Amino acid sequence: MKLITDKQAEAVSRCLTYNIPFALFALPGQKECSFFASAPDSDGESHAFTDDDAATDTGDTFFISYFNGDEPYMAGIRPQWDEDDVRDITERYAPTKMLPYRVSTRRESYSMAFSRMRQRLRTHGGKVVLSRHEALFSSRPVIETADEYMDSDAATFRYLCFTPETGLWLGATPELLLSAAAGDNSLHTMALAGTQPALTDEEWDDKNIREHRYVADYISDVLDHLGLTVSKEAPEELHAGAVKHLCTPISASGSFNAATVIENLNPTPAVAGIPLEMAIAEIDTYENHRRRCYSGVVGTRIGGNISAFVNLRCAFAAYATLHGTNGWLYNLYAGGGLMPDSEEEAEWDETTAKTAILSAAVRRDSDIVEENDLRDADFIQYHDDLNTKICQ
């Protein structure tokens, strides 16, 4: 193991076997993972905050939400049990009902959505983010995939987590939504939009610059309307795997509640578009999949310190069997910001580049990797030595 300890790997396996909500994560710059787990409540749910009120609940938690256009819900895990504690748990909790798609986004479906969205953009202007997902099946143990992927970029927020409401998610996101230290009157965020291949020396074109400016201006306006004093730095390049982005660091000071700021910032035009309500409506209409937790919020509150990120470069996974082989069926998510002058081929290629590192980790050392159409896959309950079908 590179980033995940053997004890943590054993704890993850135990949690997957008994459907115990857990979080394994590393903040940007950290070289070791943290792990904790907690029991679901009497309704079989794992809420991030007591009474779902992040403003009054101050306990430590890992949280993950759906994309706002899907459902405004925040799931989470509390530090009730550590790696040693979960060894003694014998109660098997109910499995999740959330399962990945067996079929990838078809190019024809993406093309139709692209055409419809761009038609509106060319008439009325603005921006909308079009996403797609790729279905992959791999026999490689998920903890090995997670360890390789989480070790790939120490500048990101890296995590593997499970809750009954969300299922199992793996991610390494570069996009900070909010960082705020306990007792401090300042916060930090960023505008991350505009994408190019990581190794290109080309100048940033007008399309990417305008797309980035939409996001930076929107975030600054939201913070200003909350009564904060806002400061923007000059745009810089942020490298994230096979691509690089334009990034504007933004800070603000004054009196604020972190939960309120997150609620007002999420989702930003970086993952939805401008005008925001129209973009979300188009996403709901033209994307032929639910984003679920992709482009939602993921992060931690530890000791009162908030670290919240936009959930990018992520995958939804479930244990499954395909053609007699046990493994994991993944949905890898990626999206791109469409502008009036966007070209379909370039946008499609951009989404492929954004999932390249995660896709390579899923495929590595696998006895079988199939993609796109996995309708023969059966989802089964994970167990070290016993597999029971939970869904046909």
Side-chain angles (χ1 to χ4, degrees), residues 219-250:
I219 292 174
S220 297
D221 289 345
V222 167
L223 297 175
D224 181 68
H225 290 157
L226 290 173
L228 301 176
T229 301
V230 183
S231 175
K232 288 193 296 185
E233 298 181 23
E236 57 191 35
E237 291 185 350
L238 187 150
H239 286 252
V243 298
K244 61 182 178 181
H245 305 286
L246 282 174
C247 175
T248 294
I250 300 173

Side-chain angles (χ1 to χ4, degrees), residues 39-343:
D41 63 21
S42 58
D43 295 322
E45 298 176 339
S46 292
H47 297 268
F49 308 107
T50 304
D51 299 323
D52 289 334
D53 188 354
T56 59
D57 179 358
T58 59
D60 290 354
T61 186
F62 175 99
F63 51 85
I64 183 169
S65 78
Y66 290 103
F67 172 62
N68 186 265
D70 279 3
E71 184 179 349
Y73 181 80
M74 186 79 75
I77 301 102
R78 297 299 187 114
Q80 179 181 358
W81 299 314
D82 63 17
E83 297 96 319
D84 293 319
D85 295 331
V86 297
R87 293 178 178 178
D88 300 324
I89 298 173
T90 58
E91 180 177 358
R92 191 183 302 275
Y93 298 102
T96 181
K97 296 179 181 179
M98 299 295 293
L99 297 169
Y101 297 108
R102 293 181 174 91
V103 179
S104 300
T105 301
R106 300 293 192 192
R107 182 60 187 265
E108 295 81 2
S109 299
Y110 181 90
S111 181
M112 183 188 73
F114 179 93
S115 297
R116 298 279 180 83
M117 289 175 168
R118 191 176 62 173
Q119 183 178 15
R120 192 271 298 176
L121 294 172
R122 287 184 168 178
T123 303
H124 302 289
K127 169 189 173 180
V128 63
V129 176
L130 176 60
S131 74
R132 68 180 180 98
H133 71 278
E134 181 181 17
L136 286 176
F137 179 88
S138 170
S139 65
R140 188 183 193 191
V142 71
I143 196 67
E144 292 182 10
T145 299
D147 192 47
E148 177 180 336
Y149 187 51
M150 293 169 69
D151 189 56
S152 65
D153 190 348
T156 61
F157 176 73
R158 296 143 289 165
Y159 74 91
L160 178 70
C161 75
F162 168 82
T163 75
E165 297 94 324
T166 64
L168 184 70
W169 283 82
L170 166 65
T173 174
E175 185 169 355
L176 176 69
L177 184 66
L178 176 71
S179 174
D184 198 351
N185 68 344
S186 63
L187 62 85
H188 302 278
T189 182
M190 65 170 59
L192 193 71
T195 306
Q196 284 188 342
L199 300 180
T200 185
D201 293 325
E202 293 183 8
E203 296 291 327
W204 289 92
D205 59 22
D206 184 62
K207 179 262 183 187
N208 279 290
I209 292 173
R210 285 185 290 114
E211 180 186 352
H212 179 78
R213 188 179 300 123
Y214 277 145
V215 180
D217 290 347
Y218 176 87
I219 292 174
S220 297
D221 289 345
V222 167
L223 297 175
D224 181 68
H225 290 157
L226 290 173
L228 301 176
T229 301
V230 183
S231 175
K232 288 193 296 185
E233 298 181 23
E236 57 191 35
E237 291 185 350
L238 187 150
H239 286 252
V243 298
K244 61 182 178 181
H245 305 286
L246 282 174
C247 175
T248 294
I250 300 173
S251 58
S253 60
S255 178
F256 65 90
N257 176 275
T260 301
V261 176
I262 292 173
E263 182 179 353
N264 280 268
L265 285 178
N266 174 53
T268 74
V271 294
I274 286 287
L276 190 61
E277 294 77 11
M278 182 179 294
I280 291 175
E282 288 186 330
I283 289 168
D284 185 60
T285 299
Y286 297 126
E287 289 188 355
N288 66 351
H289 58 270
R290 309 309 296 173
R291 293 188 176 190
R292 294 168 172 165
C293 294
Y294 163 68
S295 67
V297 180
V298 63
T300 63
R301 182 179 59 200
I302 306 294
N305 299 320
I306 299 281
S307 299
F309 300 82
V310 181
N311 193 20
L312 306 177
R313 311 297 192 272
C314 58
F316 177 35
Y319 199 58
T321 183
L322 179 68
H323 304 155
T325 299
N326 291 337
W328 295 87
L329 197 158
Y330 294 84
N331 289 165
L332 280 61
Y333 286 87
L338 307 191
M339 300 287 285
D341 49 352
S342 290
E343 297 296 333

Side-chain angles (χ1 to χ4, degrees), residues 25 28 44 79 160 183 216 233 255 281 297 299 313 348 358 376 383 391:
F25 61 90
L160 178 70
E233 298 181 23
S255 178
V297 180
R313 311 297 192 272
W348 178 271
L358 178 53
D376 291 336
H383 198 289
C391 181

